[in-house]
Amino acid sequence: MRLGLALGYWGRGPDPRHLELAQEAERLGYDSVWTSEAWGSDAFTTLTWIAAHTSRIGLGTAVAQMAARTPTATAMQALTLDHLSGGRMLLGLGLSGPQVVEGWYGRPFPASPLTATREYVDIVRQVLRREAPVTLDGRFHPLPYRGPDGTGLGKPLKPITHPRRACLPVLLGAEGPKNIAQTTRIADGWLPLYWSPYRTDVYEASLADAPDGFRIAPMARAQVCDDVAEGLLPVKAMLAFYIGGMGHATRNFHAALMSRMGHPEAAHRIQALFLQGHRDQAVQAVPDTFADEISLIGPRARIADRLAAWRAGPVTDLLVTAPDVETLRVVVEVNG
């Protein structure tokens, strides 16, 4: 099982530890480092900074939001960073949800998310292959644009710059069963938001047709500590924010996922408390058992024991969110 370092996105400002963690991860033999974006810092700029201060480690976005850029703009950023980094780019994409797409990016959330994702990936692949001018008779991403408010002068183009790799890996952050199943058909890998090595049956049907070499790369908080309950608090805070705040009361993909993973009542309560403004209570409402099974928290021996369950399943890449260098070292040592 390969290891990656997941840095997430910034809060109020840049985290001064991130570069040190990325460099230490490279020294320890981690395979990749990943950045994210929501509605603050962007994924590609931070990743480029890390690329300039490292030499070997893979560079991934987990995830870059599709609504933030046209497919061709995303492909341009990926192929540019792939060249500058010597072929280290891993392009992770996600659709996000209606609140972010419409509230932050100012565009409609697609009526058919699967179709929109499929078209987006199709265009990215065309740019990277550079076999012909990029065209798509698409519902959401038509190229050239032929809408009634256009000039009609759009011309199919292919990138001036020759991509370094036509096979640059594309991974998708998907949560719904149909979206995950489509991911196995159109992408090189999947970036699960939550993964429990004790509930792999939740995804079994969706992953049934995954081809050989398909990456399954979940993120998990890891922390070496003596007090497991205290170590779980950041995990519970993250879950409360995603389940309660990253979506509408009537349409929240993260709450739906927690329900499918065996905690429907808790998901409903967390969401209700968060939306009522009781954020501390929402955090406390997250079951310790759920937070624990999707993370690696505790003393070294406990982490080693629980990591064995991750290695026993279909996970190919574990993307670790770690608060310190010690945790990074312990995880790589107990991973063997």
Side-chain angles (χ1 to χ4, degrees):
M1 185 173 65
R2 291 180 295 257
L3 295 176
L5 168 65
L7 295 174
Y9 44 78
W10 299 350
R12 293 172 62 92
D15 191 323
R17 302 170 301 170
H18 279 182
L19 183 57
E20 177 191 1
L21 287 171
Q23 291 174 325
E24 183 64 19
E26 181 171 72
R27 285 191 288 268
L28 290 169
Y30 277 65
D31 183 74
S32 55
V33 58
W34 302 74
T35 58
S36 305
E37 60 189 12
W39 50 89
S41 60
D42 80 282
F44 285 101
T45 305
T46 305
L47 201 60
T48 303
W49 181 255
I50 293 170
H53 291 82
T54 56
S55 60
R56 178 200 58 79
I57 198 166
L59 305 161
T61 54
V63 293
Q65 296 186 336
M66 292 185 235
R69 306 162 190 85
T70 64
T72 47
T74 293
M76 289 168 63
Q77 286 193 276
L79 74 84
T80 301
L81 185 48
D82 201 44
H83 271 292
L84 293 175
S85 67
R88 292 190 277 153
M89 181 69 202
L90 301 156
L91 180 60
L93 301 170
L95 196 58
S96 194
Q99 279 196 324
V100 175
V101 172
E102 297 182 5
W104 183 248
Y105 294 114
R107 58 182 64 191
F109 188 77
S112 178
L114 270 69
T115 301
T117 299
R118 189 166 57 250
E119 291 181 5
Y120 201 103
V121 173
D122 186 345
I123 292 174
V124 169
R125 299 280 204 198
Q126 287 190 55
V127 173
L128 294 174
R129 288 195 300 265
R130 201 181 177 273
E131 294 173 346
V134 180
T135 61
L136 184 71
D137 184 17
R139 175 181 173 186
F140 299 100
H141 301 289
L143 278 178
Y145 181 73
R146 301 298 188 195
D149 55 345
T151 64
L153 302 178
K155 177 183 177 181
L157 302 167
K158 62 181 179 179
I160 296 170
T161 303
H162 291 235
R164 181 185 176 98
R165 293 181 295 164
C167 59
L168 188 155
V170 177
L171 297 88
L172 295 177
E175 293 184 48
K178 293 182 179 178
N179 203 347
I180 297 168
Q182 175 176 266
T183 298
T184 66
R185 297 190 295 270
I186 67 172
D188 301 297
W190 172 44
L191 296 160
L193 181 60
Y194 314 137
W195 177 275
S196 169
Y198 312 103
R199 300 176 189 265
T200 56
D201 58 300
V202 172
Y203 303 114
E204 189 173 359
S206 298
L207 295 170
D209 296 325
D212 292 341
F214 185 79
R215 289 185 180 229
I216 299 175
M219 285 183 278
R221 167 92 176 181
Q223 183 175 358
V224 177
C225 60
D226 294 327
D227 189 332
V228 174
E230 183 178 349
L232 287 174
L233 286 176
V235 183
K236 295 175 67 171
M238 175 274 294
L239 286 168
F241 177 65
Y242 273 76
I243 293 162
M246 292 282 272
H248 192 268
T250 61
R251 194 171 188 183
N252 185 309
F253 302 133
H254 313 308
L257 174 58
M258 185 178 178
S259 296
R260 289 196 300 275
M261 296 182 73
H263 298 276
E265 294 181 1
H268 178 75
R269 176 166 172 74
I270 294 163
Q271 190 175 35
L273 286 169
F274 197 95
L275 294 175
Q276 291 165 9
H278 306 306
R279 298 193 175 190
D280 291 342
Q281 293 179 44
V283 173
Q284 294 303 318
V286 177
D288 282 2
T289 53
F290 182 60
D292 197 21
E293 68 185 69
I294 66 168
S295 58
L296 292 162
I297 307 295
R300 178 190 176 103
R302 187 176 195 268
I303 290 176
D305 179 65
R306 297 176 74 83
L307 191 61
W310 293 78
R311 290 199 305 270
V315 170
T316 62
D317 300 72
L318 177 59
L319 311 186
V320 176
T321 301
D324 51 60
V325 168
E326 179 192 1
T327 296
L328 286 180
R329 292 195 187 107
V330 167
V331 171
V332 76
E333 288 169 2
V334 299
N335 186 50

